[in-house]
Amino acid sequence: ELPVVGEWPRRPLELATLRLQNMLDISIKNWKELAPSQDALDAGVLTQLGGCIICQDNGDVLFDYKDPGICAVANFEDILKKIPTVKNLETVEA
């Protein structure tokens, strides 16, 4: 039995698979838009996955998380605590 990684209950191979899928579906497809500038690369900037930012419609930041290192991801429960809840939702029957 492989141990889980951190507080997010995923085994190392599961986490590696998720990060690879993320890399293929987001990073590589959008590399030109996401890549650091040549100046930043020349200065030794490393690119990392795992950051997260959630903004309101007006651009105010509700939640941000900066990846402190490899295999780190934002805690979903922390994200939910920062997002305002909608009260008095009406249920629409189909």
Side-chain angles (χ1 to χ4, degrees):
E1 178 83 19
L2 292 172
V4 296
V5 176
E7 295 175 17
W8 196 46
R10 296 289 180 263
R11 291 172 187 83
L13 295 176
E14 293 170 328
L15 187 57
T17 300
L18 290 172
R19 291 180 68 82
L20 180 59
Q21 289 171 337
N22 191 18
M23 182 179 71
L24 293 173
D25 289 340
I26 298 171
S27 299
I28 292 177
K29 286 181 182 176
N30 301 297
W31 181 248
K32 289 188 184 220
E33 292 84 18
L34 297 173
S37 67
Q38 189 59 48
D39 290 338
L41 289 172
D42 292 342
V45 169
L46 284 176
T47 58
Q48 293 179 291
L49 299 174
C52 177
I53 186 166
I54 299 173
C55 299
Q56 292 180 316
D57 291 341
N58 64 5
D60 289 346
V61 175
L62 291 174
F63 176 85
D64 70 328
Y65 173 83
K66 295 179 181 88
D67 183 353
I70 191 165
C71 292
V73 295
N75 184 318
F76 191 69
E77 287 78 21
D78 291 342
I79 295 170
L80 291 177
K81 290 176 189 173
K82 296 287 185 170
I83 298 174
T85 58
V86 178
K87 298 187 188 248
N88 301 323
L89 288 176
E90 293 182 30
T91 304
V92 178
E93 294 184 24

Coordinates of all heavy atoms in Angstrom, one line a residue:
E1 N 0.9 -1.2 0.0 CA 0.0 0.0 0.0 C 0.9 1.2 0.0 O 1.7 1.4 0.9 CB -0.9 0.0 1.2 CG -1.8 1.1 1.4 CD -3.1 1.0 0.6 OE1 -3.5 -0.1 0.2 OE2 -3.7 2.1 0.4
L2 N 0.7 2.1 -1.0 CA 1.5 3.3 -1.1 C 0.9 4.4 -0.1 O -0.3 4.4 0.0 CB 1.5 3.9 -2.5 CG 2.2 3.1 -3.5 CD1 2.0 3.6 -4.9 CD2 3.7 3.1 -3.2
P3 N 1.7 5.2 0.5 CA 1.2 6.2 1.4 C 0.6 7.3 0.6 O 0.9 7.5 -0.6 CB 2.5 6.7 2.1 CG 3.6 6.4 1.1 CD 3.2 5.2 0.4
V4 N -0.3 8.1 1.2 CA -0.9 9.2 0.6 C 0.0 10.4 0.7 O 0.9 10.5 1.6 CB -2.3 9.6 1.2 CG1 -3.3 8.4 0.9 CG2 -2.3 9.9 2.7
V5 N -0.2 11.4 -0.1 CA 0.6 12.6 -0.2 C -0.1 13.8 0.6 O -1.2 14.2 0.2 CB 0.9 13.0 -1.6 CG1 1.7 14.3 -1.7 CG2 1.7 11.9 -2.3
G6 N 0.5 14.3 1.6 CA 0.0 15.4 2.3 C -1.4 15.2 2.9 O -1.8 14.1 3.2
E7 N -2.1 16.3 3.0 CA -3.5 16.3 3.5 C -4.5 15.9 2.4 O -5.6 15.7 2.7 CB -3.9 17.7 4.1 CG -3.0 18.0 5.3 CD -3.3 19.4 5.8 OE1 -4.4 20.0 5.4 OE2 -2.5 19.9 6.6
W8 N -4.1 16.0 1.2 CA -4.9 15.6 0.1 C -4.8 14.1 -0.2 O -3.7 13.7 -0.7 CB -4.6 16.5 -1.1 CG -5.6 16.5 -2.2 CD1 -6.9 16.7 -2.1 CD2 -5.3 16.3 -3.6 NE1 -7.5 16.7 -3.3 CE2 -6.6 16.5 -4.3 CE3 -4.2 16.1 -4.4 CZ2 -6.7 16.4 -5.7 CZ3 -4.3 16.0 -5.7 CH2 -5.5 16.2 -6.4
P9 N -5.7 13.3 0.1 CA -5.5 11.8 0.1 C -5.3 11.2 -1.3 O -6.2 10.6 -1.8 CB -6.8 11.3 0.8 CG -7.8 12.3 0.5 CD -7.1 13.6 0.5
R10 N -4.2 11.4 -1.9 CA -3.8 10.8 -3.2 C -2.5 10.1 -3.0 O -1.5 10.7 -2.4 CB -3.7 11.9 -4.3 CG -5.0 12.6 -4.5 CD -6.0 11.7 -5.3 NE -7.2 12.4 -5.6 CZ -8.3 12.3 -4.8 NH1 -8.3 11.6 -3.7 NH2 -9.4 12.9 -5.2
R11 N -2.4 9.0 -3.6 CA -1.1 8.3 -3.6 C -0.2 8.9 -4.6 O -0.6 9.6 -5.6 CB -1.3 6.8 -3.9 CG -2.1 6.1 -2.8 CD -2.5 4.7 -3.2 NE -3.3 4.1 -2.2 CZ -4.6 4.3 -2.1 NH1 -5.3 5.1 -3.0 NH2 -5.3 3.7 -1.2
P12 N 1.1 8.8 -4.5 CA 2.1 9.4 -5.4 C 1.8 9.2 -6.9 O 1.8 10.1 -7.7 CB 3.4 8.9 -5.0 CG 3.3 8.5 -3.6 CD 1.8 8.0 -3.4
L13 N 1.4 8.0 -7.3 CA 1.2 7.7 -8.7 C -0.1 8.4 -9.2 O -0.2 8.8 -10.3 CB 1.1 6.2 -8.9 CG 2.4 5.4 -8.7 CD1 2.2 3.9 -8.9 CD2 3.5 6.0 -9.6
E14 N -1.1 8.4 -8.3 CA -2.4 9.1 -8.6 C -2.1 10.6 -8.8 O -2.6 11.2 -9.8 CB -3.4 8.9 -7.6 CG -3.9 7.5 -7.4 CD -4.8 7.3 -6.2 OE1 -4.5 8.0 -5.2 OE2 -5.7 6.5 -6.2
L15 N -1.3 11.2 -7.9 CA -1.0 12.6 -8.0 C -0.2 12.9 -9.3 O -0.4 13.9 -10.0 CB -0.2 13.0 -6.8 CG 0.0 14.5 -6.6 CD1 -1.3 15.3 -6.7 CD2 0.8 14.8 -5.3
A16 N 0.8 12.0 -9.6 CA 1.6 12.2 -10.8 C 0.7 12.2 -12.0 O 0.9 12.9 -13.0 CB 2.7 11.1 -10.8
T17 N -0.2 11.3 -12.0 CA -1.2 11.2 -13.2 C -2.0 12.4 -13.3 O -2.1 13.0 -14.4 CB -2.1 9.9 -13.0 OG1 -1.3 8.8 -13.0 CG2 -3.0 9.8 -14.2
L18 N -2.5 12.9 -12.2 CA -3.3 14.2 -12.3 C -2.5 15.3 -12.8 O -2.9 16.2 -13.6 CB -3.9 14.5 -10.9 CG -5.0 13.6 -10.4 CD1 -5.3 13.9 -9.0 CD2 -6.2 13.7 -11.3
R19 N -1.2 15.4 -12.3 CA -0.4 16.6 -12.7 C 0.0 16.4 -14.2 O 0.1 17.4 -14.9 CB 0.9 16.6 -11.8 CG 0.5 17.1 -10.4 CD 1.7 17.1 -9.5 NE 2.6 18.2 -9.8 CZ 2.5 19.5 -9.4 NH1 1.4 19.8 -8.7 NH2 3.4 20.3 -9.8
L20 N 0.2 15.2 -14.7 CA 0.5 15.0 -16.1 C -0.7 15.4 -16.9 O -0.5 16.1 -18.0 CB 0.9 13.6 -16.3 CG 1.3 13.2 -17.8 CD1 2.4 14.1 -18.3 CD2 1.6 11.7 -17.9
Q21 N -1.9 15.0 -16.5 CA -3.1 15.4 -17.3 C -3.2 16.9 -17.3 O -3.5 17.5 -18.3 CB -4.3 14.7 -16.6 CG -4.4 13.2 -16.9 CD -5.5 12.6 -16.1 OE1 -6.0 13.2 -15.0 NE2 -6.0 11.5 -16.5
N22 N -3.0 17.5 -16.2 CA -3.0 19.0 -16.1 C -2.0 19.6 -17.0 O -2.3 20.6 -17.7 CB -2.8 19.4 -14.6 CG -3.1 20.8 -14.4 OD1 -3.8 21.5 -15.2 ND2 -2.6 21.4 -13.3
M23 N -0.8 19.1 -17.0 CA 0.2 19.6 -17.9 C -0.1 19.5 -19.4 O 0.0 20.4 -20.1 CB 1.6 18.9 -17.6 CG 2.7 19.4 -18.5 SD 4.3 18.6 -18.1 CE 4.0 17.0 -18.9
L24 N -0.7 18.3 -19.8 CA -1.0 18.1 -21.2 C -2.2 19.0 -21.6 O -2.2 19.5 -22.7 CB -1.3 16.6 -21.4 CG -0.1 15.7 -21.3 CD1 -0.5 14.3 -21.4 CD2 1.0 16.0 -22.4
D25 N -3.2 19.0 -20.7 CA -4.5 19.7 -21.1 C -4.4 21.2 -20.9 O -5.2 21.9 -21.6 CB -5.6 19.2 -20.2 CG -6.0 17.7 -20.6 OD1 -5.7 17.3 -21.7 OD2 -6.7 17.1 -19.8
I26 N -3.5 21.7 -20.1 CA -3.5 23.2 -19.9 C -2.2 23.7 -20.3 O -2.1 24.6 -21.2 CB -3.8 23.5 -18.4 CG1 -5.2 23.0 -18.0 CG2 -3.6 25.0 -18.1 CD1 -5.5 23.1 -16.5
S27 N -1.1 23.3 -19.7 CA 0.2 24.0 -19.9 C 0.7 23.9 -21.3 O 1.1 24.9 -21.9 CB 1.2 23.4 -18.9 OG 0.8 23.6 -17.6
I28 N 0.8 22.7 -21.8 CA 1.4 22.5 -23.2 C 0.5 23.1 -24.3 O 1.0 23.8 -25.2 CB 1.7 21.0 -23.4 CG1 2.8 20.6 -22.5 CG2 2.1 20.8 -24.9 CD1 3.2 19.1 -22.6
K29 N -0.8 22.9 -24.1 CA -1.7 23.5 -25.2 C -1.7 25.0 -25.2 O -1.9 25.6 -26.2 CB -3.2 23.1 -24.9 CG -3.4 21.6 -25.2 CD -4.9 21.2 -25.0 CE -5.2 19.8 -25.3 NZ -6.5 19.4 -24.9
N30 N -1.4 25.6 -24.0 CA -1.4 27.1 -23.9 C 0.0 27.6 -23.6 O 0.1 28.7 -23.0 CB -2.4 27.5 -22.8 CG -3.8 27.0 -23.1 OD1 -4.4 27.4 -24.2 ND2 -4.3 26.2 -22.3
W31 N 1.0 26.9 -24.0 CA 2.4 27.3 -23.6 C 2.7 28.7 -24.0 O 3.3 29.5 -23.2 CB 3.4 26.3 -24.1 CG 4.8 26.7 -23.6 CD1 5.8 27.1 -24.4 CD2 5.3 26.7 -22.3 NE1 6.9 27.4 -23.6 CE2 6.6 27.1 -22.3 CE3 4.7 26.4 -21.1 CZ2 7.4 27.2 -21.2 CZ3 5.5 26.5 -19.9 CH2 6.8 26.9 -20.0
K32 N 2.4 29.2 -25.2 CA 2.7 30.5 -25.6 C 2.2 31.6 -24.7 O 2.8 32.6 -24.4 CB 2.3 30.8 -27.1 CG 3.2 29.9 -28.0 CD 2.9 30.3 -29.5 CE 3.7 29.4 -30.3 NZ 4.2 30.0 -31.5
E33 N 0.9 31.4 -24.2 CA 0.3 32.3 -23.3 C 0.8 32.2 -21.9 O 0.8 33.2 -21.2 CB -1.2 32.2 -23.3 CG -1.9 32.5 -24.6 CD -1.9 31.4 -25.6 OE1 -1.7 30.2 -25.2 OE2 -2.1 31.7 -26.8
L34 N 1.2 31.0 -21.5 CA 1.6 30.8 -20.1 C 3.1 30.9 -19.8 O 3.5 31.1 -18.7 CB 1.1 29.4 -19.6 CG -0.4 29.2 -19.6 CD1 -0.7 27.7 -19.4 CD2 -1.1 30.1 -18.6
A35 N 3.8 30.8 -20.8 CA 5.3 30.7 -20.6 C 5.8 32.1 -20.1 O 5.4 33.1 -20.5 CB 6.0 30.4 -22.0
P36 N 6.8 32.0 -19.2 CA 7.5 33.2 -18.8 C 8.2 33.9 -20.0 O 8.6 33.2 -20.9 CB 8.4 32.8 -17.7 CG 8.6 31.3 -17.8 CD 7.4 30.8 -18.6
S37 N 8.5 35.1 -19.9 CA 9.2 35.8 -20.9 C 10.7 35.3 -21.0 O 11.2 34.7 -20.0 CB 9.3 37.3 -20.6 OG 10.1 37.6 -19.5
Q38 N 11.3 35.6 -22.1 CA 12.7 35.1 -22.2 C 13.6 35.7 -21.2 O 14.5 35.1 -20.7 CB 13.2 35.4 -23.6 CG 14.6 34.8 -23.9 CD 14.6 33.3 -23.8 OE1 13.7 32.6 -24.3 NE2 15.6 32.7 -23.1
D39 N 13.4 37.0 -20.8 CA 14.1 37.6 -19.8 C 14.0 36.9 -18.4 O 15.0 36.7 -17.7 CB 13.7 39.1 -19.6 CG 14.1 40.0 -20.8 OD1 15.1 39.6 -21.5 OD2 13.5 41.0 -20.9
A40 N 12.7 36.5 -18.1 CA 12.5 35.8 -16.9 C 13.2 34.4 -16.9 O 13.8 34.0 -15.9 CB 11.0 35.6 -16.6
L41 N 13.2 33.7 -18.0 CA 13.8 32.4 -18.2 C 15.4 32.6 -18.0 O 16.0 31.8 -17.4 CB 13.5 31.8 -19.5 CG 12.1 31.2 -19.7 CD1 11.8 30.8 -21.1 CD2 11.8 30.1 -18.7
D42 N 15.9 33.7 -18.6 CA 17.3 33.9 -18.5 C 17.7 34.3 -17.1 O 18.9 34.0 -16.7 CB 17.7 35.1 -19.4 CG 17.6 34.8 -20.9 OD1 17.5 33.5 -21.3 OD2 17.5 35.7 -21.7
A43 N 16.8 34.8 -16.3 CA 17.0 35.1 -14.9 C 16.9 33.9 -14.0 O 17.2 34.0 -12.8 CB 16.1 36.2 -14.4
G44 N 16.5 32.8 -14.6 CA 16.4 31.6 -13.8 C 15.0 31.3 -13.2 O 14.9 30.5 -12.2
V45 N 14.0 31.9 -13.7 CA 12.6 31.6 -13.2 C 12.2 30.2 -13.5 O 12.4 29.7 -14.6 CB 11.6 32.6 -13.8 CG1 10.2 32.2 -13.5 CG2 11.9 34.0 -13.4
L46 N 11.7 29.5 -12.5 CA 11.1 28.2 -12.7 C 9.6 28.3 -12.8 O 9.0 29.1 -12.1 CB 11.4 27.3 -11.5 CG 12.8 26.7 -11.4 CD1 13.0 25.9 -10.1 CD2 13.2 25.9 -12.6
T47 N 9.0 27.5 -13.7 CA 7.6 27.5 -13.8 C 7.1 26.4 -12.9 O 7.7 25.3 -12.9 CB 7.1 27.3 -15.2 OG1 7.6 26.1 -15.7 CG2 7.5 28.5 -16.1
Q48 N 5.9 26.6 -12.3 CA 5.4 25.6 -11.4 C 3.9 25.5 -11.6 O 3.2 26.5 -11.9 CB 5.6 25.9 -9.9 CG 7.0 25.8 -9.5 CD 7.2 26.2 -8.1 OE1 7.0 27.3 -7.7 NE2 7.5 25.2 -7.3
L49 N 3.3 24.3 -11.5 CA 1.9 24.1 -11.5 C 1.4 24.1 -10.0 O 2.1 24.0 -9.1 CB 1.5 22.8 -12.1 CG 1.9 22.6 -13.6 CD1 1.6 21.2 -14.0 CD2 1.2 23.6 -14.5
G50 N 0.1 24.4 -9.9 CA -0.4 24.3 -8.5 C -0.9 25.6 -7.9 O -1.6 25.6 -6.9
G51 N -0.7 26.7 -8.6 CA -1.2 27.9 -8.1 C -2.7 28.0 -8.5 O -3.2 27.4 -9.3
C52 N -3.4 28.9 -7.7 CA -4.8 29.0 -7.9 C -5.2 30.5 -7.5 O -4.8 31.0 -6.5 CB -5.6 28.0 -7.1 SG -7.4 28.2 -7.2
I53 N -6.0 31.1 -8.3 CA -6.6 32.4 -8.0 C -8.1 32.4 -8.4 O -8.4 32.0 -9.5 CB -5.8 33.5 -8.6 CG1 -6.3 34.9 -8.1 CG2 -5.8 33.5 -10.1 CD1 -5.4 36.0 -8.4
I54 N -8.9 32.9 -7.5 CA -10.3 33.0 -7.8 C -10.7 34.5 -7.5 O -10.4 35.0 -6.5 CB -11.1 32.1 -6.9 CG1 -10.7 30.6 -7.2 CG2 -12.6 32.2 -7.1 CD1 -11.3 29.6 -6.2
C55 N -11.3 35.1 -8.6 CA -11.7 36.5 -8.5 C -13.2 36.6 -8.6 O -13.9 35.8 -9.2 CB -11.0 37.2 -9.6 SG -9.3 37.2 -9.6
Q56 N -13.7 37.8 -8.1 CA -15.1 38.2 -8.3 C -15.2 38.8 -9.7 O -14.2 39.0 -10.4 CB -15.5 39.2 -7.2 CG -15.6 38.6 -5.9 CD -16.0 39.6 -4.8 OE1 -15.5 40.8 -4.9 NE2 -16.9 39.3 -3.9
D57 N -16.4 39.0 -10.1 CA -16.7 39.6 -11.4 C -15.9 40.9 -11.6 O -15.5 41.3 -12.7 CB -18.2 39.8 -11.7 CG -18.9 38.5 -11.8 OD1 -18.3 37.5 -12.1 OD2 -20.2 38.6 -11.7
N58 N -15.8 41.7 -10.5 CA -15.1 43.0 -10.6 C -13.6 42.9 -10.5 O -12.9 43.9 -10.5 CB -15.6 43.9 -9.5 CG -15.3 43.4 -8.1 OD1 -14.6 42.5 -7.9 ND2 -15.8 44.1 -7.1
G59 N -13.0 41.7 -10.4 CA -11.6 41.5 -10.4 C -11.0 41.4 -9.0 O -9.8 41.0 -8.8
D60 N -11.8 41.6 -7.9 CA -11.3 41.5 -6.6 C -11.0 40.0 -6.3 O -11.7 39.1 -6.6 CB -12.3 41.9 -5.5 CG -12.5 43.5 -5.5 OD1 -11.7 44.1 -6.1 OD2 -13.5 43.9 -4.9
V61 N -9.8 39.8 -5.7 CA -9.4 38.4 -5.4 C -10.1 37.9 -4.2 O -10.1 38.5 -3.1 CB -7.9 38.4 -5.2 CG1 -7.4 37.0 -4.8 CG2 -7.1 38.8 -6.4
L62 N -10.8 36.7 -4.4 CA -11.4 36.0 -3.2 C -10.5 35.0 -2.6 O -10.5 34.8 -1.4 CB -12.6 35.3 -3.7 CG -13.8 36.1 -4.2 CD1 -14.9 35.2 -4.8 CD2 -14.4 36.9 -3.0
F63 N -9.6 34.4 -3.4 CA -8.7 33.3 -2.9 C -7.5 33.3 -3.8 O -7.6 33.4 -5.0 CB -9.4 32.0 -2.9 CG -8.5 30.8 -2.5 CD1 -8.4 30.5 -1.2 CD2 -7.9 30.1 -3.5 CE1 -7.6 29.5 -0.8 CE2 -7.0 29.0 -3.1 CZ -6.9 28.7 -1.7
D64 N -6.3 33.2 -3.2 CA -5.2 32.9 -4.0 C -4.2 32.0 -3.3 O -4.2 31.9 -2.0 CB -4.4 34.2 -4.4 CG -3.7 34.9 -3.2 OD1 -4.3 34.8 -2.1 OD2 -2.7 35.5 -3.4
Y65 N -3.5 31.2 -4.0 CA -2.7 30.1 -3.5 C -1.4 30.1 -4.4 O -1.6 30.0 -5.6 CB -3.4 28.8 -3.4 CG -2.5 27.7 -3.0 CD1 -2.2 27.4 -1.7 CD2 -1.9 26.8 -4.0 CE1 -1.4 26.3 -1.3 CE2 -1.0 25.8 -3.6 CZ -0.8 25.6 -2.3 OH 0.1 24.5 -1.9
K66 N -0.3 30.2 -3.8 CA 1.0 30.0 -4.6 C 1.6 28.7 -4.2 O 1.9 28.4 -3.0 CB 1.9 31.2 -4.3 CG 1.3 32.5 -4.7 CD 2.2 33.7 -4.4 CE 1.6 35.0 -4.8 NZ 0.8 35.6 -3.8
D67 N 1.9 27.9 -5.2 CA 2.5 26.6 -5.0 C 3.9 26.8 -4.4 O 4.8 27.4 -4.9 CB 2.7 26.0 -6.4 CG 3.2 24.6 -6.4 OD1 3.6 24.1 -5.3 OD2 3.3 24.0 -7.5
P68 N 4.1 26.2 -3.2 CA 5.3 26.3 -2.5 C 6.4 25.3 -3.0 O 7.5 25.4 -2.6 CB 5.0 26.1 -1.0 CG 3.8 25.1 -1.1 CD 3.1 25.6 -2.3
G69 N 6.0 24.4 -3.8 CA 7.0 23.5 -4.3 C 6.3 22.4 -5.1 O 5.1 22.4 -5.3
I70 N 7.0 21.3 -5.4 CA 6.5 20.3 -6.3 C 5.4 19.5 -5.5 O 5.5 19.3 -4.3 CB 7.6 19.3 -6.7 CG1 7.1 18.4 -7.8 CG2 8.2 18.6 -5.6 CD1 8.2 17.7 -8.6
C71 N 4.4 19.1 -6.2 CA 3.3 18.3 -5.7 C 2.4 19.0 -4.7 O 1.8 18.3 -3.8 CB 3.8 16.9 -5.1 SG 4.4 15.8 -6.4
A72 N 2.4 20.3 -4.7 CA 1.5 21.0 -3.8 C 0.3 21.6 -4.5 O 0.5 22.0 -5.7 CB 2.3 22.2 -3.1
V73 N -0.8 21.5 -3.9 CA -2.0 22.0 -4.6 C -2.9 22.7 -3.5 O -2.7 22.5 -2.3 CB -2.9 20.8 -5.2 CG1 -2.2 20.1 -6.3 CG2 -3.3 19.8 -4.1
A74 N -3.7 23.6 -4.0 CA -4.6 24.4 -3.1 C -5.6 23.4 -2.5 O -6.0 22.4 -3.1 CB -5.4 25.4 -3.9
N75 N -5.9 23.7 -1.2 CA -6.8 22.9 -0.5 C -8.3 23.3 -0.9 O -8.6 24.5 -0.7 CB -6.6 23.1 1.0 CG -7.5 22.2 1.9 OD1 -8.7 22.0 1.6 ND2 -6.9 21.6 2.9
F76 N -9.0 22.4 -1.4 CA -10.4 22.7 -1.9 C -11.3 23.2 -0.8 O -12.1 24.1 -1.0 CB -11.0 21.4 -2.5 CG -12.3 21.7 -3.3 CD1 -12.2 22.4 -4.4 CD2 -13.5 21.3 -2.8 CE1 -13.4 22.7 -5.1 CE2 -14.7 21.5 -3.5 CZ -14.6 22.2 -4.6
E77 N -11.1 22.7 0.5 CA -11.9 23.2 1.6 C -11.6 24.7 1.9 O -12.5 25.4 2.2 CB -11.7 22.3 2.8 CG -12.4 21.0 2.7 CD -11.7 20.0 1.9 OE1 -10.4 20.1 1.6 OE2 -12.3 19.0 1.4
D78 N -10.3 25.0 1.8 CA -10.0 26.4 2.0 C -10.6 27.4 0.9 O -11.0 28.5 1.2 CB -8.4 26.6 2.0 CG -7.8 26.0 3.1 OD1 -8.4 25.7 4.2 OD2 -6.5 25.7 3.1
I79 N -10.7 26.9 -0.3 CA -11.3 27.6 -1.4 C -12.8 27.8 -1.1 O -13.3 29.0 -1.2 CB -11.1 26.9 -2.7 CG1 -9.6 26.9 -3.1 CG2 -11.9 27.6 -3.8 CD1 -9.3 26.0 -4.3
L80 N -13.4 26.8 -0.7 CA -14.9 26.9 -0.4 C -15.2 27.9 0.7 O -16.2 28.6 0.7 CB -15.5 25.5 -0.1 CG -15.5 24.5 -1.2 CD1 -16.1 23.2 -0.7 CD2 -16.4 25.1 -2.4
K81 N -14.3 27.9 1.7 CA -14.5 28.9 2.8 C -14.4 30.3 2.4 O -15.0 31.2 3.0 CB -13.4 28.6 3.9 CG -13.6 27.4 4.7 CD -12.5 27.1 5.7 CE -12.5 25.8 6.3 NZ -11.3 25.5 7.1
K82 N -13.7 30.6 1.3 CA -13.5 32.0 0.8 C -14.5 32.4 -0.1 O -14.7 33.6 -0.4 CB -12.1 32.1 0.2 CG -10.9 31.9 1.1 CD -10.8 33.1 2.0 CE -9.5 32.9 2.9 NZ -9.2 34.1 3.6
I83 N -15.2 31.5 -0.7 CA -16.3 31.8 -1.7 C -17.6 32.1 -1.0 O -18.1 31.3 -0.3 CB -16.4 30.7 -2.8 CG1 -15.1 30.5 -3.5 CG2 -17.6 31.0 -3.7 CD1 -15.2 29.3 -4.4
P84 N -18.2 33.3 -1.3 CA -19.4 33.6 -0.6 C -20.5 32.7 -1.1 O -20.6 32.3 -2.2 CB -19.7 35.0 -1.1 CG -18.8 35.4 -2.1 CD -17.7 34.4 -2.1
T85 N -21.4 32.3 -0.1 CA -22.5 31.4 -0.5 C -23.7 32.2 -0.9 O -23.9 33.4 -0.6 CB -22.9 30.5 0.7 OG1 -23.3 31.4 1.8 CG2 -21.8 29.6 1.2
V86 N -24.5 31.6 -1.8 CA -25.7 32.2 -2.3 C -26.8 31.8 -1.4 O -27.1 30.6 -1.2 CB -26.0 31.9 -3.7 CG1 -27.3 32.5 -4.2 CG2 -24.8 32.3 -4.6
K87 N -27.5 32.7 -0.8 CA -28.6 32.4 0.2 C -29.9 32.5 -0.6 O -30.1 33.2 -1.5 CB -28.6 33.3 1.4 CG -27.3 33.2 2.1 CD -27.3 34.0 3.4 CE -26.0 34.0 4.0 NZ -25.8 33.3 5.2
N88 N -30.9 31.7 0.0 CA -32.2 31.7 -0.6 C -32.3 31.3 -2.0 O -33.0 31.9 -2.8 CB -32.9 33.1 -0.4 CG -32.9 33.6 1.1 OD1 -33.2 32.7 1.9 ND2 -32.7 34.8 1.3
L89 N -31.6 30.2 -2.3 CA -31.7 29.7 -3.7 C -33.1 29.1 -3.9 O -33.6 28.4 -3.0 CB -30.7 28.6 -4.0 CG -29.3 29.1 -4.1 CD1 -28.3 27.9 -4.2 CD2 -29.1 30.0 -5.3
E90 N -33.7 29.4 -5.0 CA -35.0 28.8 -5.3 C -34.8 27.5 -6.1 O -33.9 27.5 -7.0 CB -35.8 29.7 -6.2 CG -36.3 31.0 -5.4 CD -37.1 31.9 -6.2 OE1 -37.9 31.4 -7.1 OE2 -37.1 33.1 -6.0
T91 N -35.5 26.5 -5.8 CA -35.4 25.2 -6.5 C -36.3 25.2 -7.7 O -37.5 25.5 -7.5 CB -35.7 24.0 -5.6 OG1 -34.8 24.1 -4.5 CG2 -35.5 22.7 -6.3
V92 N -35.8 25.0 -8.9 CA -36.7 24.9 -10.0 C -36.9 23.4 -10.4 O -36.0 22.7 -10.6 CB -36.0 25.6 -11.2 CG1 -36.9 25.5 -12.5 CG2 -35.7 27.1 -10.9
E93 N -38.2 23.0 -10.4 CA -38.5 21.6 -10.7 C -38.5 21.5 -12.2 O -39.1 22.3 -13.0 CB -39.8 21.2 -10.1 CG -39.7 21.2 -8.6 CD -41.0 20.7 -8.0 OE1 -41.7 20.0 -8.6 OE2 -41.2 21.1 -6.8
A94 N -37.9 20.4 -12.7 CA -37.9 20.1 -14.1 C -39.2 19.5 -14.6 O -39.9 18.9 -13.9 CB -36.8 19.2 -14.5

